[in-house]
């Protein structure tokens, strides 16, 4: 049986005041920030499914029928848990610069903080669960973000253009051969800076950036400083890659990759975790010592992901993640999308147009207008979608 989903909206202060409201037709958030729509079982925002018109927690349905909902192999591999968290994200203001641990780091950190007696809801807690958080962001609108370190040569070139003597002095470790150690020394020194020295460096850098604010990298430095005065994270565009995604383009963020979402809306799909270590642009807890252990200090050019056709109506975004797989279904009204008969659990959300979904042999048709989401259990033999719509699908790779 295909289930309608009831999902949680997270109203973080950086959220858009229009995107999710328009997508969902939700007047409750009119004029207020709505940042993320969560589809999944994460305890901070669990979805419910409608069973005979009554809302029931999705986690309960999975717990009672793990193989029927997830599929036998997925239930075995992930201990009867839904392994991904599916989101629609809408950022009007920048998110914090952040990084996610790998699986071993997450397990060790979670156990360590448990042994220290730090409550899971404590503000100073780094590890909220023992899972890693690889994630994929697919743009629904023009989207800008920061992703991974620039090369040492590119950072030095940008700093020379900026002509900030204080920053160039801090960048000396980048001038000596040393790879990751030079980047780590440079970044760690900036993040640890305090007092008058920090204020002097920031003031000089921002002043120089304003003089060249027609360039996107310097424009973002000025904007970030305006929103987070005194925060060293405002300088992040000088050493992190600035990425611009057109609608339909995506980027994958693996463990240890320092990043930030600056502005725009997108589909986000990740392992089911909330482990975040922050490195600026935030009023929340920053643990610099732990952050430096997790960040991968390697300069690299950011790669965009384009969807690869897997049929006449579906295209897949390929990543190395074992927990999730994202695809997009585009229907123009001339044909129907027919699912595979051997599938894992799926969550679908329509982001444009109007369609309907029908389970083979069940005779039940569910409308899929813009903003509606459904859970398709693995036990559903097959289904068809017809209409004019753009639908994103989250599942588990087989």
């Amino acid at each position: 049986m295909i289930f309608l989903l009831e999902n949680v909206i997270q109203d973080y202060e950086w959220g858009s005041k229009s995107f999710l409201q328009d997508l969902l037709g939700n007047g409750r958030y009119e004029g207020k920030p709505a940042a993320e729509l969560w589809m999944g079982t994460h305890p901070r925002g669990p979805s419910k499914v409608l069973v005979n018109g009554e809302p029931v927690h999705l986690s309960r349905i999975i717990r009672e029928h793990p193989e029927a909902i997830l599929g036998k192999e997925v239930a075995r591999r992930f201990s009867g848990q839904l392994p991904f968290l599916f989101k629609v994200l809408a950022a009007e203001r920048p998110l914090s610069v952040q990084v996610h641990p790998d699986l071993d780091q997450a397990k060790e950190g979670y156990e360590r903080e448990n042994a220290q007696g730090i409550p899971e809801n404590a503000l100073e807690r780094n590890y909220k669960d023992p899972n890693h958080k690889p994630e994929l962001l697919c743009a629904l609108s023009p989207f800008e973000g920061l992703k991974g370190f620039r090369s040492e040569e590119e950072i030095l070139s940008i700093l020379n253009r900026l002509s900030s003597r204080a920053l160039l002095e801090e960048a000396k470790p980048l001038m000596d051969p040393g790879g990751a150690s030079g980047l780590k020394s440079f970044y760690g020194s900036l993040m640890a800076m305090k007092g008058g020295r920090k204020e002097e460096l920031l003031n000089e850098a921002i002043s120089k950036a304003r003089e060249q604010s027609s360039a996107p990298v310097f424009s973002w430095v000025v904007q970030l400083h305006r929103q987070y005065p005194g925060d060293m994270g405002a300088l992040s565009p000088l050493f992190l890659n600035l990425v611009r995604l057109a609608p339909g383009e995506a980027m994958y963020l693996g463990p240890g990759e320092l990043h930030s979402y600056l502005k725009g809306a997108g589909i986000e799909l990740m392992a089911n975790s909330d482990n975040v270590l922050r490195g600026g642009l935030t009023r929340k807890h920053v643990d610099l010592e732990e952050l430096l252990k997790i960040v991968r200090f390697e300069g690299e050019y950011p790669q965009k992901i384009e969807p690869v056709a897997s049929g006449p109506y579906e295209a897949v975004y390929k990543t190395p993640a074992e927990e999730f797989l994202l695809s997009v279904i585009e229907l123009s009204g001339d044909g129907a999308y027919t699912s595979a008969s051997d599938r894992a659990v799926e969550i679908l959300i329509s982001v444009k147009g109007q369609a309907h979904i029908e389970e083979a042999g069940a005779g039940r048709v569910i409308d899929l207008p813009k903003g509606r989401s459904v859970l398709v259990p693995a036990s559903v033999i097959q289904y068809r979608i017809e209409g004019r719509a753009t639908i994103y699908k989250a599942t588990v790779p087989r």
Side-chain angles (χ1 to χ4, degrees):
M1 178 180 177
I2 297 173
F3 296 97
L4 288 172
L5 283 174
E6 287 187 356
N7 304 305
V8 171
I9 294 176
Q10 305 289 3
D11 56 356
Y12 308 137
E13 62 179 358
W14 49 260
S16 169
K17 295 180 181 179
S18 60
F19 188 87
L20 281 171
Q21 293 85 338
D22 177 68
L23 177 69
L24 303 171
N26 192 324
R28 174 185 165 194
Y29 288 91
E30 188 172 348
K32 300 177 183 178
E36 295 179 344
L37 176 76
W38 285 24
M39 296 167 280
T41 59
H42 196 282
R44 285 190 55 239
S47 297
K48 296 177 181 178
V49 295
L50 291 180
V51 180
N52 299 321
E54 295 295 323
V56 179
H57 278 288
L58 175 56
S59 55
R60 173 184 161 186
I61 296 293
I62 293 175
R63 185 170 61 251
E64 293 175 353
H65 310 281
E67 292 189 4
I69 303 296
L70 302 175
K72 186 174 182 179
E73 178 60 20
V74 171
R76 182 192 66 78
R77 282 167 55 201
F78 297 103
S79 303
Q81 304 291 319
L82 183 70
F84 62 77
L85 178 59
F86 197 22
K87 298 181 183 180
V88 182
L89 174 147
E92 197 163 292
R93 295 176 51 196
L95 283 68
S96 61
V97 177
Q98 58 189 256
V99 70
H100 309 304
D102 65 26
L103 192 56
D104 289 339
Q105 291 166 335
K107 288 178 178 177
E108 188 278 329
Y110 182 71
E111 291 170 1
R112 171 167 31 97
E113 291 187 339
N114 281 348
Q116 292 169 349
I118 303 174
E120 288 194 11
N121 61 352
L123 296 178
E124 70 273 19
R125 178 106 189 187
N126 294 315
Y127 299 94
K128 307 293 176 61
D129 54 66
N131 202 10
H132 64 166
K133 192 186 176 187
E135 61 189 42
L136 177 74
L137 187 286
C138 176
L140 293 174
S141 70
F143 195 94
E144 292 187 76
L146 300 172
K147 180 186 187 314
F149 283 98
R150 301 175 187 268
S151 67
E152 290 93 333
E153 295 80 6
E154 188 177 6
I155 295 171
L156 288 169
S157 175
I158 289 172
L159 296 185
N160 278 310
R161 285 170 57 196
L162 190 67
S163 300
S164 165
R165 286 184 297 175
L167 258 177
L168 283 168
E169 182 67 25
E170 291 299 321
K172 282 184 177 178
L174 302 177
M175 302 176 193
D176 298 324
S181 62
L183 270 176
K184 185 174 184 177
S185 177
F186 168 67
Y187 178 73
S189 175
L190 286 181
M191 289 298 297
M193 202 175 290
K194 299 184 185 307
R197 184 163 165 248
K198 174 184 175 182
E199 184 178 355
E200 180 182 352
L201 183 146
L202 266 176
N203 287 342
E204 183 189 40
I206 300 305
S207 176
K208 296 287 187 180
R210 285 196 186 103
E211 295 172 4
Q212 304 181 65
S213 58
S214 59
V217 59
F218 300 130
S219 173
W220 268 114
V221 168
V222 173
Q223 290 180 64
L224 295 175
H225 175 71
R226 188 182 304 125
Q227 295 181 51
Y228 293 93
D231 192 320
M232 197 63 84
L235 302 183
S236 297
L238 302 176
F239 48 83
L240 298 181
N241 294 292
L242 181 59
V243 181
R244 289 175 163 173
L245 300 176
E249 293 181 328
M251 60 180 176
Y252 175 75
L253 297 154
E257 194 165 20
L258 205 59
H259 64 279
S260 172
Y261 297 150
L262 298 175
K263 189 171 185 178
I267 292 288
E268 196 178 14
L269 184 55
M270 64 192 66
N272 191 20
S273 172
D274 196 35
N275 281 326
V276 175
L277 287 99
R278 296 175 177 85
L281 304 183
T282 183
R283 299 176 185 87
K284 295 182 179 179
H285 174 63
V286 174
D287 184 337
L288 180 57
E289 182 180 355
E290 194 69 17
L291 181 80
L292 294 177
K293 293 178 186 176
I294 300 302
V295 171
R296 184 159 48 87
F297 291 96
E298 298 175 10
E300 57 186 54
Y301 187 77
Q303 299 295 317
K304 297 180 183 179
I305 301 175
E306 300 277 359
V308 178
S310 61
Y313 305 106
E314 185 176 20
V316 175
Y317 293 87
K318 296 184 177 180
T319 77
E322 297 180 357
E323 292 88 353
F324 60 79
L325 180 67
L326 180 70
S327 64
V328 59
I329 299 166
E330 297 275 7
L331 294 168
S332 61
D334 295 332
Y337 169 80
T338 303
S339 75
S341 54
D342 182 19
R343 312 164 0 270
V345 62
E346 297 173 351
I347 294 178
L348 290 80
I349 183 167
S350 174
V351 298
K352 186 171 70 174
Q354 173 74 45
H356 59 265
I357 182 170
E358 181 177 5
E359 181 179 344
R364 181 169 176 252
V365 178
I366 298 175
D367 286 334
L368 282 180
K370 181 177 74 171
R372 178 164 288 178
S373 56
V374 295
L375 174 89
V376 184
S379 58
V380 170
I381 296 172
Q382 200 169 48
Y383 63 87
R384 283 168 55 89
I385 306 176
E386 294 181 329
R388 294 177 179 270
T390 300
I391 297 165
Y392 282 88
K393 181 179 80 176
T395 188
V396 183
R398 301 298 299 276

